[in-house]
Amino acid sequence: MSQEARFSRLEPELRKSHLVEATLVCLKRHGFQGASIRKICAEAGVSVGLINHHYACKDELVAVAYLAVTGRVMTLLREAIDAAPPCPRSRLSAFFKASFSSEMLDPQLLDAWLAFWGAVKTAEAINLAHEQSYGEYRRELRQVLNDLARQESWEAFNSDLAAIALSALLDGLWLESGLNPGTFTPSQGIQICEAWVDGLQAGGHKSFQQRI
């Protein structure tokens, strides 16, 4: 039996996972523009026709890969938050530690992020995947920041704006780590994020007050 025939008999989720992994390898090796359907097919060991049976175009396949990667990331972050003590600051600290764990700083994952970010504005399907995944990510941050605001009795705190600011800080650190891993250590990345929350608690939360 050929590899393609065996592939077609795999369970749908396993089949999708196999294609996603092949897509990630090609994105790392060739970038978004260079990762053609033919190269992804060669990596997966299947025909172009088989991929076209499941996905309308490369953009759709890359979008699925994007959501698969962000799904793994969100699972890791949620597990860390759920395992932390119930106070908001401890939950944020757990979020930061997970964000700079070895799994999150895996070079293959960071290379995939760079490829995804570079493709967001080039294809609607990838842009939609980005909006969905980042909306989910910011909601998680917003919830913990809301809990912190209630604990601290901050009036009119705009947790949406604070979540955008914190996610931008984390994105910038991930980007820098991906481009130059020697710039800072994981513990220093955590330290930077903790300092941001320290500033929030020291009075910086007033900069995120709702303005009417």
Side-chain angles (χ1 to χ4, degrees):
M1 184 185 297
S2 69
Q3 180 176 346
E4 186 169 322
R6 289 195 300 271
F7 181 87
S8 66
R9 292 189 179 185
L10 293 175
E11 291 295 326
E13 285 305 311
L14 182 58
R15 191 162 57 228
K16 184 173 84 169
S17 175
H18 188 70
L19 285 177
V20 163
E21 292 304 321
T23 302
L24 293 178
V25 169
C26 288
L27 287 173
K28 177 181 179 181
R29 188 178 298 155
H30 307 290
F32 175 71
Q33 296 299 334
S36 66
I37 283 288
R38 290 192 177 279
K39 288 174 181 175
I40 294 171
C41 289
E43 182 65 32
V46 300
S47 70
V48 173
L50 187 59
I51 285 189
N52 287 340
H53 176 72
H54 296 285
Y55 303 99
C57 60
K58 182 184 82 171
D59 294 347
E60 185 179 312
L61 177 55
V62 172
V64 168
Y66 192 170
L67 291 175
V69 169
T70 55
R72 295 176 195 170
V73 167
M74 290 308 303
T75 296
L76 178 68
L77 294 174
R78 287 191 178 112
E79 287 176 349
I81 289 177
D82 291 343
C87 70
R89 187 61 196 256
S90 294
R91 288 163 67 83
L92 278 169
S93 293
F95 189 100
F96 299 149
K97 288 177 183 177
S99 296
F100 294 97
S101 64
S102 58
E103 294 93 336
M104 291 287 281
L105 295 180
D106 184 305
Q108 182 172 347
L109 177 60
L110 291 171
D111 286 343
W113 280 127
L114 293 175
F116 290 139
W117 285 340
V120 162
K121 292 301 181 183
T122 66
E124 183 179 2
I126 301 169
N127 187 44
L128 289 173
H130 173 75
E131 290 182 2
Q132 176 182 330
S133 61
Y134 267 76
E136 185 179 2
Y137 180 80
R138 286 194 298 270
R139 281 193 297 274
E140 203 69 36
L141 281 176
R142 183 181 64 206
Q143 180 60 56
V144 185
L145 289 168
N146 256 331
D147 293 342
L148 182 64
R150 281 194 294 270
Q151 176 184 282
E152 300 284 339
S153 300
W154 294 338
E155 295 184 4
F157 181 67
N158 189 335
S159 59
D160 285 327
L161 191 60
I164 290 170
L166 185 51
S167 66
L169 173 62
L170 284 158
D171 282 348
L173 290 169
W174 280 336
L175 178 61
E176 182 60 34
S177 181
L179 294 174
N180 186 1
T183 303
F184 61 91
T185 65
S187 61
Q188 288 172 330
I190 295 168
Q191 181 183 352
I192 291 168
C193 293
E194 294 284 6
W196 188 90
V197 183
D198 287 341
L200 207 62
Q201 292 184 294
H205 65 90
K206 296 176 182 177
S207 299
F208 295 103
Q209 287 180 330
Q210 299 277 4
R211 287 180 170 79
I212 300 176

